[in-house]
Amino acid sequence: MSEKESLQIEFPVDADFIPAVRKFVAESSLIEGFTPKFSYRTEIIVDELCNNAVKYGPSTQGASIKISCEFKDDAIQLTVQDPGGNAKDVQNLRKVIGANENNTAFVGHGLEIVRMLTSGMEVSQTTNGETVIRVVKRRSQNLIDTLTE
Amino acid sequence: MTEFSIKWHESEDDARITVVVLAGSIDMVSVDALTKGFDSLVESNRCFVIVDMERVDFVSSPAVGALMGCRRRLIEKKGNLVLVGLTPSLREKLNLMGANRIFRYYNDVKTVLSDYRWEHDNLAQKLALQVPSAPAYVPAIRRLISSVVMQKGYNRKDAFRIETIVDELANNAIEHGDHEQRKFYIEFSLDREKVEIAVRNLTRNLDPALTQRVKQKFENPVVDDESIRGRGLALVKMLSSELRLDIDTGGTTVHVTKVRED
């Protein structure tokens, strides 16, 4: 998986910015040679992660959300970082992300959609207390994708 | 149906804002209590009110009328009243009563606070990008900026002019930057009155003579009638309120201020 291009966006914790930002990331994936379907799904992932960041992030003036997109030959790695949350929140998020049919922790609709559309998701916290969610979406990550691509 | 209740508190994030939490069924009987609650708010000069309707089951038309009356009195005092947390069915019922033409609906209190600060504090909001140095990205950047300014209430004409400036500066940054670095930067700041744009590319050891030539061209962008190129900078200068160039050892940054015209 050789690295191609990367993109970084930083914007205020304000829902008004999300439609423009998600569209920009989707367009960028088209520019990098991914299919319109892949691009649309990427847009949904960005929308859900950013809406969560706005919902749970602080409303203080100057607080911002950072998105990083690494475009690779067969995948896109998205990282969304927001200044909200604490160690307990991150632990809860890990539980939610780790939930499956055998482990029925409550999963919000947004994160469930993100989990369905990606092949990997992890959460961490920076030393400044920022919450970081990293997801990887591959070109053909499951049978449904392969059949409908 | 649960019993009607009305409670209010000062917003934790902004003391100028009052959050009124309504719950239960606001029927004919409850309208009096609702009106009295809002009267005390208006009298105590709590003029910006968010009404949280998340736990409301039913709203009668007299209750909507009472909310409208309260909003009118708050607006007379330079305040406002907005609704948050409407369930889809309640939203539909309110729309049938025409409330959507009077009230602004929000999904959550945080978005109201953000809008309130944008309107009243005129603090700048910032968007920063690090983008691959490829011309294919320029239309996407243009659309991103245009979409943000329109979302924030700028009109189409201003948005078009701002995106034209961004387009020209981004194309210049890509064309004249160090291609091995494969990236350039845009910082975009906007408030209700103006936008500030800074586009930076990375360059290596610019020749002093070339630096001088760039500065001169920047000070006095001349359009050569014989050439099909070189109109970008002249266009940016025409559309901008202020234009500044910084050249340092690492790169070149063009700063533009564009005052809102509408």
Side-chain angles (χ1 to χ4, degrees), chain A residues 3-12 14-17 20-21 24 27-28 31-32 54-61 71, chain B residues 13 110-111 113-115 117 123-133 136-137 139-141 143-144 147-148 151-152 182 190:
Chain A
E3 193 161 310
K4 286 170 79 184
E5 298 290 1
S6 76
L7 179 71
Q8 285 174 25
I9 310 161
E10 186 171 350
F11 64 98
D14 178 350
D16 279 353
F17 283 78
V21 167
F24 180 62
E27 276 197 61
S28 301
I31 293 165
E32 293 300 331
V54 168
K55 191 171 175 187
Y56 300 109
S59 52
T60 45
Q61 178 66 28
F71 296 105
Chain B
D13 294 307
K110 206 171 271 182
T111 313
L113 285 173
S114 173
D115 267 17
R117 286 173 180 159
L123 297 169
Q125 290 193 304
K126 288 181 182 167
L127 172 75
L129 304 171
Q130 179 199 300
V131 194
S133 258
Y137 272 92
I141 296 168
R143 281 190 280 274
L144 167 71
S147 173
V148 165
Q151 183 71 32
K152 286 295 180 187
R182 296 169 59 190
L190 78 162

CSV table of all heavy atoms in Angstrom, one decimal, chain A residues 3-12 14-17 20-21 24 27-28 31-32 54-61 71, chain B residues 13 110-111 113-115 117 123-133 136-137 139-141 143-144 147-148 151-152 182 190:
chain,number,residue,atom,x,y,z
A,3,GLU,N,2.0,5.1,-0.3
A,3,GLU,CA,1.4,6.4,0.0
A,3,GLU,C,1.3,7.3,-1.2
A,3,GLU,O,2.2,7.4,-1.9
A,3,GLU,CB,2.1,7.0,1.2
A,3,GLU,CG,1.3,8.2,1.8
A,3,GLU,CD,1.8,8.5,3.2
A,3,GLU,OE1,2.0,7.6,4.0
A,3,GLU,OE2,2.0,9.7,3.4
A,4,LYS,N,0.2,8.0,-1.4
A,4,LYS,CA,0.0,8.9,-2.5
A,4,LYS,C,0.0,10.3,-2.0
A,4,LYS,O,1.0,10.9,-1.8
A,4,LYS,CB,-1.2,8.5,-3.3
A,4,LYS,CG,-1.0,7.3,-4.1
A,4,LYS,CD,-2.3,6.8,-4.7
A,4,LYS,CE,-2.7,7.6,-5.9
A,4,LYS,NZ,-4.0,7.2,-6.5
A,5,GLU,N,-1.1,10.8,-1.6
A,5,GLU,CA,-1.3,12.2,-1.2
A,5,GLU,C,-1.9,12.3,0.2
A,5,GLU,O,-2.6,11.4,0.6
A,5,GLU,CB,-2.1,13.0,-2.2
A,5,GLU,CG,-1.6,13.0,-3.6
A,5,GLU,CD,-0.3,13.9,-3.7
A,5,GLU,OE1,0.1,14.5,-2.7
A,5,GLU,OE2,0.2,14.0,-4.8
A,6,SER,N,-1.7,13.4,0.8
A,6,SER,CA,-2.4,13.6,2.1
A,6,SER,C,-3.0,15.0,2.1
A,6,SER,O,-2.6,15.9,1.4
A,6,SER,CB,-1.5,13.4,3.3
A,6,SER,OG,-0.7,14.6,3.4
A,7,LEU,N,-4.0,15.1,2.9
A,7,LEU,CA,-4.9,16.3,3.0
A,7,LEU,C,-5.2,16.6,4.5
A,7,LEU,O,-5.5,15.7,5.2
A,7,LEU,CB,-6.2,16.0,2.2
A,7,LEU,CG,-7.3,17.0,2.1
A,7,LEU,CD1,-6.9,18.0,1.1
A,7,LEU,CD2,-8.5,16.2,1.5
A,8,GLN,N,-5.1,17.9,4.9
A,8,GLN,CA,-5.5,18.2,6.3
A,8,GLN,C,-6.4,19.4,6.3
A,8,GLN,O,-6.2,20.3,5.6
A,8,GLN,CB,-4.2,18.5,7.1
A,8,GLN,CG,-3.4,17.2,7.4
A,8,GLN,CD,-2.1,17.5,8.1
A,8,GLN,OE1,-2.0,18.5,8.7
A,8,GLN,NE2,-1.2,16.6,7.9
A,9,ILE,N,-7.4,19.3,7.1
A,9,ILE,CA,-8.4,20.3,7.2
A,9,ILE,C,-8.6,20.6,8.7
A,9,ILE,O,-8.8,19.7,9.5
A,9,ILE,CB,-9.8,19.9,6.7
A,9,ILE,CG1,-9.6,19.3,5.3
A,9,ILE,CG2,-10.8,21.0,6.6
A,9,ILE,CD1,-10.8,18.4,4.8
A,10,GLU,N,-8.7,21.9,9.1
A,10,GLU,CA,-9.0,22.2,10.5
A,10,GLU,C,-10.1,23.3,10.4
A,10,GLU,O,-10.0,24.3,9.7
A,10,GLU,CB,-7.7,22.8,11.1
A,10,GLU,CG,-7.9,23.1,12.6
A,10,GLU,CD,-6.6,23.5,13.3
A,10,GLU,OE1,-5.6,23.4,12.7
A,10,GLU,OE2,-6.8,23.9,14.5
A,11,PHE,N,-11.2,23.0,11.2
A,11,PHE,CA,-12.3,23.9,11.1
A,11,PHE,C,-13.0,24.0,12.5
A,11,PHE,O,-12.8,23.2,13.4
A,11,PHE,CB,-13.3,23.5,10.0
A,11,PHE,CG,-14.0,22.2,10.3
A,11,PHE,CD1,-15.2,22.1,10.9
A,11,PHE,CD2,-13.3,21.0,10.0
A,11,PHE,CE1,-15.8,20.8,11.1
A,11,PHE,CE2,-13.9,19.7,10.2
A,11,PHE,CZ,-15.2,19.7,10.8
A,12,PRO,N,-13.7,25.1,12.7
A,12,PRO,CA,-14.3,25.3,14.1
A,12,PRO,C,-15.3,24.2,14.5
A,12,PRO,O,-15.9,23.6,13.6
A,12,PRO,CB,-15.1,26.7,13.9
A,12,PRO,CG,-14.5,27.3,12.7
A,12,PRO,CD,-14.1,26.2,11.8
A,14,ASP,N,-18.3,23.7,14.7
A,14,ASP,CA,-19.5,24.4,14.3
A,14,ASP,C,-20.2,23.5,13.2
A,14,ASP,O,-19.5,23.3,12.1
A,14,ASP,CB,-19.2,25.8,13.8
A,14,ASP,CG,-20.3,26.6,13.3
A,14,ASP,OD1,-21.4,26.0,13.2
A,14,ASP,OD2,-20.2,27.8,13.1
A,15,ALA,N,-21.4,23.1,13.4
A,15,ALA,CA,-22.1,22.2,12.4
A,15,ALA,C,-22.2,22.9,11.0
A,15,ALA,O,-22.3,22.2,10.0
A,15,ALA,CB,-23.4,21.8,12.9
A,16,ASP,N,-22.2,24.2,11.0
A,16,ASP,CA,-22.3,24.9,9.7
A,16,ASP,C,-21.2,24.5,8.7
A,16,ASP,O,-21.4,24.6,7.5
A,16,ASP,CB,-22.2,26.4,9.9
A,16,ASP,CG,-23.5,27.0,10.4
A,16,ASP,OD1,-24.5,26.3,10.4
A,16,ASP,OD2,-23.6,28.2,10.7
A,17,PHE,N,-20.0,24.1,9.2
A,17,PHE,CA,-18.9,23.8,8.3
A,17,PHE,C,-19.0,22.4,7.8
A,17,PHE,O,-18.3,22.1,6.8
A,17,PHE,CB,-17.6,24.0,9.1
A,17,PHE,CG,-17.2,25.4,9.3
A,17,PHE,CD1,-17.8,26.2,10.2
A,17,PHE,CD2,-16.2,26.0,8.4
A,17,PHE,CE1,-17.4,27.6,10.4
A,17,PHE,CE2,-15.8,27.3,8.6
A,17,PHE,CZ,-16.4,28.1,9.5
A,20,ALA,N,-19.8,21.5,3.8
A,20,ALA,CA,-18.8,21.9,2.9
A,20,ALA,C,-17.5,21.0,3.1
A,20,ALA,O,-16.9,20.6,2.1
A,20,ALA,CB,-18.4,23.3,3.1
A,21,VAL,N,-17.2,20.6,4.3
A,21,VAL,CA,-16.0,19.8,4.6
A,21,VAL,C,-16.2,18.4,4.1
A,21,VAL,O,-15.3,17.8,3.4
A,21,VAL,CB,-15.7,19.8,6.1
A,21,VAL,CG1,-14.7,18.8,6.4
A,21,VAL,CG2,-15.2,21.2,6.5
A,24,PHE,N,-15.9,18.3,0.4
A,24,PHE,CA,-14.5,18.5,0.0
A,24,PHE,C,-13.7,17.2,0.1
A,24,PHE,O,-13.0,16.9,-0.9
A,24,PHE,CB,-13.9,19.6,0.8
A,24,PHE,CG,-12.4,19.9,0.5
A,24,PHE,CD1,-12.1,20.4,-0.8
A,24,PHE,CD2,-11.4,19.7,1.4
A,24,PHE,CE1,-10.8,20.6,-1.1
A,24,PHE,CE2,-10.1,20.0,1.1
A,24,PHE,CZ,-9.8,20.4,-0.2
A,27,GLU,N,-14.9,14.9,-2.7
A,27,GLU,CA,-14.3,15.4,-4.1
A,27,GLU,C,-12.9,15.0,-4.1
A,27,GLU,O,-12.4,14.6,-5.2
A,27,GLU,CB,-14.5,16.9,-4.2
A,27,GLU,CG,-15.8,17.3,-4.7
A,27,GLU,CD,-15.8,18.7,-5.3
A,27,GLU,OE1,-15.1,19.0,-6.2
A,27,GLU,OE2,-16.6,19.6,-4.7
A,28,SER,N,-12.2,15.1,-3.0
A,28,SER,CA,-10.7,14.8,-3.0
A,28,SER,C,-10.5,13.3,-3.3
A,28,SER,O,-9.6,12.9,-4.0
A,28,SER,CB,-10.1,15.1,-1.6
A,28,SER,OG,-10.3,16.5,-1.4
A,31,ILE,N,-10.8,12.9,-6.9
A,31,ILE,CA,-9.5,13.3,-7.6
A,31,ILE,C,-8.4,12.3,-7.5
A,31,ILE,O,-7.7,12.1,-8.4
A,31,ILE,CB,-9.1,14.7,-6.9
A,31,ILE,CG1,-10.1,15.8,-7.2
A,31,ILE,CG2,-7.7,15.1,-7.4
A,31,ILE,CD1,-9.9,17.0,-6.4
A,32,GLU,N,-8.4,11.6,-6.4
A,32,GLU,CA,-7.3,10.6,-6.1
A,32,GLU,C,-7.7,9.2,-6.8
A,32,GLU,O,-7.0,8.2,-6.6
A,32,GLU,CB,-7.1,10.4,-4.6
A,32,GLU,CG,-6.5,11.6,-4.0
A,32,GLU,CD,-5.1,12.0,-4.5
A,32,GLU,OE1,-4.4,11.1,-5.0
A,32,GLU,OE2,-4.8,13.2,-4.5
A,54,VAL,N,-18.8,17.5,16.7
A,54,VAL,CA,-19.4,18.8,17.1
A,54,VAL,C,-20.4,18.5,18.3
A,54,VAL,O,-20.4,19.3,19.2
A,54,VAL,CB,-20.3,19.3,15.9
A,54,VAL,CG1,-21.2,20.4,16.3
A,54,VAL,CG2,-19.3,19.8,14.8
A,55,LYS,N,-21.1,17.4,18.3
A,55,LYS,CA,-22.0,17.1,19.3
A,55,LYS,C,-21.3,17.0,20.7
A,55,LYS,O,-21.8,17.5,21.7
A,55,LYS,CB,-22.7,15.8,19.0
A,55,LYS,CG,-23.9,15.5,19.9
A,55,LYS,CD,-24.7,14.3,19.3
A,55,LYS,CE,-25.8,13.9,20.2
A,55,LYS,NZ,-26.5,12.7,19.8
A,56,TYR,N,-20.2,16.3,20.7
A,56,TYR,CA,-19.5,16.0,22.0
A,56,TYR,C,-18.3,16.9,22.3
A,56,TYR,O,-17.8,16.9,23.3
A,56,TYR,CB,-19.1,14.5,22.1
A,56,TYR,CG,-20.3,13.6,21.9
A,56,TYR,CD1,-20.4,12.8,20.8
A,56,TYR,CD2,-21.2,13.5,23.0
A,56,TYR,CE1,-21.5,12.0,20.7
A,56,TYR,CE2,-22.3,12.7,22.8
A,56,TYR,CZ,-22.5,11.9,21.7
A,56,TYR,OH,-23.6,11.1,21.6
A,57,GLY,N,-18.0,17.7,21.3
A,57,GLY,CA,-16.9,18.7,21.4
A,57,GLY,C,-17.3,19.9,22.2
A,57,GLY,O,-18.4,20.1,22.4
A,58,PRO,N,-16.3,20.7,22.7
A,58,PRO,CA,-16.6,21.9,23.5
A,58,PRO,C,-17.2,23.0,22.6
A,58,PRO,O,-16.9,23.0,21.4
A,58,PRO,CB,-15.3,22.3,24.1
A,58,PRO,CG,-14.3,21.8,23.1
A,58,PRO,CD,-14.9,20.5,22.4
A,59,SER,N,-18.0,23.9,23.2
A,59,SER,CA,-18.5,25.0,22.4
A,59,SER,C,-17.7,26.3,22.7
A,59,SER,O,-18.2,27.4,22.4
A,59,SER,CB,-20.0,25.2,22.7
A,59,SER,OG,-20.2,25.3,24.1
A,60,THR,N,-16.5,26.1,23.2
A,60,THR,CA,-15.7,27.3,23.5
A,60,THR,C,-15.2,27.9,22.2
A,60,THR,O,-14.9,27.2,21.2
A,60,THR,CB,-14.5,27.0,24.3
A,60,THR,OG1,-13.9,25.8,23.8
A,60,THR,CG2,-14.9,26.7,25.8
A,61,GLN,N,-15.1,29.3,22.2
A,61,GLN,CA,-14.6,30.0,21.0
A,61,GLN,C,-13.2,29.5,20.7
A,61,GLN,O,-12.3,29.4,21.6
A,61,GLN,CB,-14.6,31.5,21.3
A,61,GLN,CG,-14.1,32.4,20.2
A,61,GLN,CD,-15.0,32.3,19.0
A,61,GLN,OE1,-16.2,32.1,19.0
A,61,GLN,NE2,-14.4,32.6,17.8
A,71,PHE,N,-4.4,9.4,1.4
A,71,PHE,CA,-4.9,8.6,0.2
A,71,PHE,C,-3.8,7.6,-0.2
A,71,PHE,O,-2.7,7.9,-0.4
A,71,PHE,CB,-5.2,9.5,-1.0
A,71,PHE,CG,-6.3,10.4,-0.7
A,71,PHE,CD1,-6.1,11.8,-0.4
A,71,PHE,CD2,-7.6,10.0,-0.7
A,71,PHE,CE1,-7.1,12.7,-0.2
A,71,PHE,CE2,-8.7,10.9,-0.4
A,71,PHE,CZ,-8.4,12.2,-0.1
B,13,ASP,N,-22.8,27.8,29.0
B,13,ASP,CA,-21.7,28.3,28.1
B,13,ASP,C,-21.8,29.8,27.8
B,13,ASP,O,-20.8,30.4,27.4
B,13,ASP,CB,-21.8,27.5,26.8
B,13,ASP,CG,-21.4,26.1,27.0
B,13,ASP,OD1,-20.4,25.8,27.5
B,13,ASP,OD2,-22.2,25.2,26.5
B,110,LYS,N,-26.0,23.7,21.2
B,110,LYS,CA,-24.7,24.1,20.8
B,110,LYS,C,-24.7,24.9,19.5
B,110,LYS,O,-24.0,25.9,19.3
B,110,LYS,CB,-23.8,22.8,20.6
B,110,LYS,CG,-22.4,23.1,20.8
B,110,LYS,CD,-21.6,21.8,20.8
B,110,LYS,CE,-21.5,21.2,22.2
B,110,LYS,NZ,-20.8,20.0,22.3
B,111,THR,N,-25.5,24.5,18.5
B,111,THR,CA,-25.6,25.2,17.2
B,111,THR,C,-26.2,26.5,17.4
B,111,THR,O,-25.8,27.5,16.8
B,111,THR,CB,-26.4,24.3,16.2
B,111,THR,OG1,-25.9,23.0,16.3
B,111,THR,CG2,-26.2,24.8,14.8
B,113,LEU,N,-25.9,28.4,20.1
B,113,LEU,CA,-24.8,29.2,20.7
B,113,LEU,C,-23.9,29.7,19.7
B,113,LEU,O,-23.5,30.9,19.6
B,113,LEU,CB,-24.1,28.4,21.8
B,113,LEU,CG,-24.8,28.1,23.1
B,113,LEU,CD1,-24.0,27.2,23.9
B,113,LEU,CD2,-24.9,29.5,23.8
B,114,SER,N,-23.5,28.8,18.8
B,114,SER,CA,-22.6,29.1,17.7
B,114,SER,C,-23.1,30.3,16.8
B,114,SER,O,-22.4,31.2,16.5
B,114,SER,CB,-22.3,27.9,16.9
B,114,SER,OG,-21.5,28.1,15.8
B,115,ASP,N,-24.4,30.1,16.4
B,115,ASP,CA,-25.1,31.1,15.6
B,115,ASP,C,-25.2,32.4,16.3
B,115,ASP,O,-25.0,33.5,15.8
B,115,ASP,CB,-26.5,30.7,15.2
B,115,ASP,CG,-26.5,30.0,13.9
B,115,ASP,OD1,-25.4,29.5,13.4
B,115,ASP,OD2,-27.5,29.8,13.3
B,117,ARG,N,-23.3,33.6,18.8
B,117,ARG,CA,-22.0,34.3,18.9
B,117,ARG,C,-21.6,34.9,17.5
B,117,ARG,O,-21.0,35.9,17.4
B,117,ARG,CB,-20.9,33.3,19.3
B,117,ARG,CG,-21.1,33.0,20.8
B,117,ARG,CD,-20.2,31.9,21.2
B,117,ARG,NE,-20.3,31.6,22.6
B,117,ARG,CZ,-20.0,30.5,23.2
B,117,ARG,NH1,-19.5,29.5,22.5
B,117,ARG,NH2,-20.2,30.3,24.5
B,123,LEU,N,-17.0,37.4,16.2
B,123,LEU,CA,-15.6,36.8,16.3
B,123,LEU,C,-15.4,36.0,15.0
B,123,LEU,O,-16.3,35.4,14.4
B,123,LEU,CB,-15.6,35.8,17.5
B,123,LEU,CG,-15.8,36.5,18.9
B,123,LEU,CD1,-16.0,35.4,19.9
B,123,LEU,CD2,-14.7,37.4,19.2
B,124,ALA,N,-14.1,36.0,14.6
B,124,ALA,CA,-13.7,35.3,13.4
B,124,ALA,C,-13.7,33.8,13.6
B,124,ALA,O,-13.4,33.4,14.6
B,124,ALA,CB,-12.4,35.8,12.9
B,125,GLN,N,-14.1,33.1,12.5
B,125,GLN,CA,-13.9,31.6,12.5
B,125,GLN,C,-12.9,31.3,11.5
B,125,GLN,O,-12.8,31.9,10.4
B,125,GLN,CB,-15.3,31.0,12.2
B,125,GLN,CG,-16.3,31.2,13.3
B,125,GLN,CD,-17.5,30.3,13.1
B,125,GLN,OE1,-18.2,30.4,12.0
B,125,GLN,NE2,-17.8,29.5,14.1
B,126,LYS,N,-12.1,30.2,11.8
B,126,LYS,CA,-11.0,29.9,10.9
B,126,LYS,C,-11.0,28.5,10.4
B,126,LYS,O,-11.4,27.6,11.1
B,126,LYS,CB,-9.7,30.1,11.7
B,126,LYS,CG,-9.4,31.5,12.0
B,126,LYS,CD,-8.1,31.7,12.8
B,126,LYS,CE,-8.0,33.2,13.0
B,126,LYS,NZ,-7.0,33.6,14.0
B,127,LEU,N,-10.6,28.5,9.1
B,127,LEU,CA,-10.6,27.2,8.4
B,127,LEU,C,-9.1,27.1,7.8
B,127,LEU,O,-8.7,28.0,7.2
B,127,LEU,CB,-11.6,27.2,7.2
B,127,LEU,CG,-11.6,26.1,6.2
B,127,LEU,CD1,-12.2,24.8,6.8
B,127,LEU,CD2,-12.4,26.5,5.0
B,128,ALA,N,-8.4,26.0,8.1
B,128,ALA,CA,-7.1,25.9,7.6
B,128,ALA,C,-7.0,24.6,6.8
B,128,ALA,O,-7.5,23.5,7.2
B,128,ALA,CB,-6.1,25.8,8.8
B,129,LEU,N,-6.3,24.7,5.7
B,129,LEU,CA,-6.1,23.5,4.8
B,129,LEU,C,-4.7,23.3,4.4
B,129,LEU,O,-3.9,24.2,4.2
B,129,LEU,CB,-6.8,23.7,3.4
B,129,LEU,CG,-8.3,24.1,3.5
B,129,LEU,CD1,-8.8,24.5,2.1
B,129,LEU,CD2,-9.1,22.9,3.9
B,130,GLN,N,-4.3,22.0,4.4
B,130,GLN,CA,-3.0,21.6,3.7
B,130,GLN,C,-3.4,20.7,2.6
B,130,GLN,O,-4.0,19.7,2.8
B,130,GLN,CB,-2.1,20.9,4.7
B,130,GLN,CG,-0.8,20.5,4.1
B,130,GLN,CD,-0.1,19.4,4.9
B,130,GLN,OE1,0.2,19.6,6.0
B,130,GLN,NE2,0.1,18.2,4.3
B,131,VAL,N,-3.1,21.1,1.4
B,131,VAL,CA,-3.7,20.4,0.2
B,131,VAL,C,-2.5,20.0,-0.7
B,131,VAL,O,-1.5,20.7,-0.8
B,131,VAL,CB,-4.6,21.4,-0.6
B,131,VAL,CG1,-5.4,20.6,-1.6
B,131,VAL,CG2,-5.5,22.1,0.4
B,132,PRO,N,-2.7,18.8,-1.4
B,132,PRO,CA,-1.7,18.4,-2.4
B,132,PRO,C,-1.5,19.5,-3.5
B,132,PRO,O,-2.5,20.1,-3.9
B,132,PRO,CB,-2.2,17.1,-3.0
B,132,PRO,CG,-3.1,16.6,-1.9
B,132,PRO,CD,-3.7,17.8,-1.2
B,133,SER,N,-0.3,19.7,-3.9
B,133,SER,CA,-0.1,20.7,-5.0
B,133,SER,C,-0.5,20.2,-6.3
B,133,SER,O,0.4,20.0,-7.2
B,133,SER,CB,1.4,21.0,-5.0
B,133,SER,OG,1.7,22.2,-4.4
B,136,ALA,N,-5.9,19.8,-10.0
B,136,ALA,CA,-7.2,19.2,-9.9
B,136,ALA,C,-7.9,19.5,-8.6
B,136,ALA,O,-9.1,19.5,-8.5
B,136,ALA,CB,-7.0,17.7,-10.0
B,137,TYR,N,-7.1,19.9,-7.5
B,137,TYR,CA,-7.8,20.2,-6.3
B,137,TYR,C,-8.4,21.6,-6.2
B,137,TYR,O,-9.2,21.9,-5.3
B,137,TYR,CB,-6.7,20.1,-5.1
B,137,TYR,CG,-6.6,18.7,-4.6
B,137,TYR,CD1,-5.7,17.8,-5.1
B,137,TYR,CD2,-7.4,18.3,-3.5
B,137,TYR,CE1,-5.6,16.5,-4.6
B,137,TYR,CE2,-7.4,17.0,-3.0
B,137,TYR,CZ,-6.4,16.1,-3.6
B,137,TYR,OH,-6.4,14.9,-3.1
B,139,PRO,N,-10.6,23.4,-8.1
B,139,PRO,CA,-12.1,23.6,-8.1
B,139,PRO,C,-12.7,23.1,-6.8
B,139,PRO,O,-13.7,23.8,-6.3
B,139,PRO,CB,-12.5,22.7,-9.3
B,139,PRO,CG,-11.3,22.6,-10.1
B,139,PRO,CD,-10.2,22.6,-9.2
B,140,ALA,N,-12.2,22.0,-6.2
B,140,ALA,CA,-12.8,21.5,-4.9
B,140,ALA,C,-12.6,22.5,-3.8
B,140,ALA,O,-13.5,22.8,-3.0
B,140,ALA,CB,-12.2,20.2,-4.6
B,141,ILE,N,-11.4,23.2,-3.8
B,141,ILE,CA,-11.1,24.2,-2.7
B,141,ILE,C,-12.0,25.4,-2.9
B,141,ILE,O,-12.6,25.9,-2.0
B,141,ILE,CB,-9.6,24.7,-2.8
B,141,ILE,CG1,-8.7,23.5,-2.5
B,141,ILE,CG2,-9.4,25.8,-1.9
B,141,ILE,CD1,-7.2,23.8,-2.9
B,143,ARG,N,-15.0,25.4,-4.3
B,143,ARG,CA,-16.4,25.1,-3.8
B,143,ARG,C,-16.5,25.0,-2.3
B,143,ARG,O,-17.5,25.4,-1.7
B,143,ARG,CB,-16.8,23.8,-4.5
B,143,ARG,CG,-17.2,23.9,-5.9
B,143,ARG,CD,-17.9,22.7,-6.5
B,143,ARG,NE,-16.9,21.6,-6.8
B,143,ARG,CZ,-16.3,21.6,-8.0
B,143,ARG,NH1,-16.6,22.5,-8.9
B,143,ARG,NH2,-15.4,20.6,-8.3
B,144,LEU,N,-15.4,24.5,-1.7
B,144,LEU,CA,-15.4,24.5,-0.2
B,144,LEU,C,-15.6,25.9,0.4
B,144,LEU,O,-16.4,26.1,1.3
B,144,LEU,CB,-14.1,23.8,0.3
B,144,LEU,CG,-13.8,23.9,1.8
B,144,LEU,CD1,-14.7,23.1,2.6
B,144,LEU,CD2,-12.3,23.5,2.0
B,147,SER,N,-19.0,27.5,-0.4
B,147,SER,CA,-20.0,26.9,0.4
B,147,SER,C,-20.0,27.4,1.8
B,147,SER,O,-21.1,27.6,2.4
B,147,SER,CB,-19.8,25.4,0.3
B,147,SER,OG,-20.7,24.7,1.1
B,148,VAL,N,-18.8,27.5,2.4
B,148,VAL,CA,-18.7,28.0,3.8
B,148,VAL,C,-19.2,29.4,3.9
B,148,VAL,O,-20.0,29.7,4.8
B,148,VAL,CB,-17.2,27.9,4.3
B,148,VAL,CG1,-17.1,28.7,5.6
B,148,VAL,CG2,-16.9,26.4,4.6
B,151,GLN,N,-23.0,29.5,3.6
B,151,GLN,CA,-23.6,29.0,4.8
B,151,GLN,C,-23.6,30.0,5.9
B,151,GLN,O,-24.5,30.0,6.7
B,151,GLN,CB,-22.8,27.7,5.2
B,151,GLN,CG,-23.4,27.0,6.4
B,151,GLN,CD,-24.7,26.2,6.1
B,151,GLN,OE1,-24.9,25.8,4.9
B,151,GLN,NE2,-25.6,26.1,7.0
B,152,LYS,N,-22.6,30.9,5.9
B,152,LYS,CA,-22.5,31.9,7.0
B,152,LYS,C,-23.2,33.2,6.6
B,152,LYS,O,-23.0,34.2,7.2
B,152,LYS,CB,-21.0,32.2,7.3
B,152,LYS,CG,-20.4,31.1,8.0
B,152,LYS,CD,-21.0,30.9,9.4
B,152,LYS,CE,-20.4,29.8,10.3
B,152,LYS,NZ,-21.2,29.7,11.5
B,182,ARG,N,5.1,19.0,-2.8
B,182,ARG,CA,3.8,18.4,-3.1
B,182,ARG,C,2.7,18.9,-2.3
B,182,ARG,O,1.6,18.2,-2.1
B,182,ARG,CB,3.9,16.9,-3.0
B,182,ARG,CG,4.8,16.3,-4.1
B,182,ARG,CD,5.1,14.9,-3.8
B,182,ARG,NE,3.9,14.0,-3.7
B,182,ARG,CZ,3.9,12.8,-3.3
B,182,ARG,NH1,5.0,12.2,-2.9
B,182,ARG,NH2,2.8,12.1,-3.3
B,190,LEU,N,-13.1,34.1,8.6
B,190,LEU,CA,-14.2,34.9,8.2
B,190,LEU,C,-15.0,35.4,9.4
B,190,LEU,O,-15.1,34.7,10.5
B,190,LEU,CB,-15.2,34.2,7.2
B,190,LEU,CG,-16.1,33.2,7.7
B,190,LEU,CD1,-17.2,33.0,6.6
B,190,LEU,CD2,-15.4,31.8,8.0
